[in-house]
Amino acid sequence: MSDRPPFDELERGHTVLASDPFKPASDTTRPWVVVNNDRHPFDREQYVVMALTTRTWYDERVPLTDTDYRDRQAPRNSSIVPHAVASLAPSLVTDYVCRIRDEPLDAAVDTLFEFQ
């Protein structure tokens, strides 16, 4: 895959830019990776996503390596933040970034479940 997918046809691992609820400016975006699968009850209407970060202070993050990408790459060294979960509507997506393989997504979801 080298073309960006339509935002209402995202699949697990697709990483997109959308609003950043952790920043005060309303025009600030951050990368989000889709972690749900097609069994999600509102698949293609909204996505379960986890935030990506370039910060390294958080021990529970899931760092991404060059081999963790299926299509393109994040522009800087990034990690998935398992506790930063959101529900994202396609209308909030502003751009396609890359696609991440299942293994780091599984690790991030497993980490999230450890928090219960």
Side-chain angles (χ1 to χ4, degrees):
M1 171 198 280
S2 60
D3 296 322
R4 80 172 195 174
F7 297 146
D8 61 350
E9 294 182 16
L10 298 178
E11 296 176 357
R12 191 168 200 258
H14 281 139
T15 305
V16 296
L17 293 180
S19 298
D20 185 350
F22 307 114
K23 303 282 183 178
S26 62
D27 62 344
T28 304
T29 60
R30 77 172 307 120
W32 296 93
V33 60
V34 176
V35 296
N36 66 267
N37 58 30
D38 59 1
R39 294 186 314 246
H40 179 261
F42 300 103
D43 188 42
R44 303 192 191 280
E45 292 177 36
Q46 61 183 186
Y47 302 101
V48 177
V49 295
M50 288 182 177
L52 266 60
T53 187
T54 57
R55 298 183 185 223
T56 59
W57 56 265
Y58 182 58
D59 291 338
E60 304 298 326
R61 74 191 193 289
V62 177
L64 298 171
T65 66
D66 290 347
T67 60
D68 289 329
Y69 295 94
R70 294 172 61 171
D71 176 51
R72 302 185 189 178
Q73 263 186 277
R76 298 188 299 182
N77 290 339
S78 296
S79 298
I80 302 172
V81 184
H83 73 271
V85 179
S87 180
L88 184 65
S91 61
L92 300 174
V93 176
T94 61
D95 202 5
Y96 172 74
V97 178
C98 62
R99 188 157 188 195
I100 297 172
R101 296 186 182 282
D102 284 340
E103 293 80 5
L105 302 177
D106 293 341
V109 170
D110 289 347
T111 301
L112 175 65
F113 280 110
E114 291 174 10
F115 297 149
Q116 57 179 339

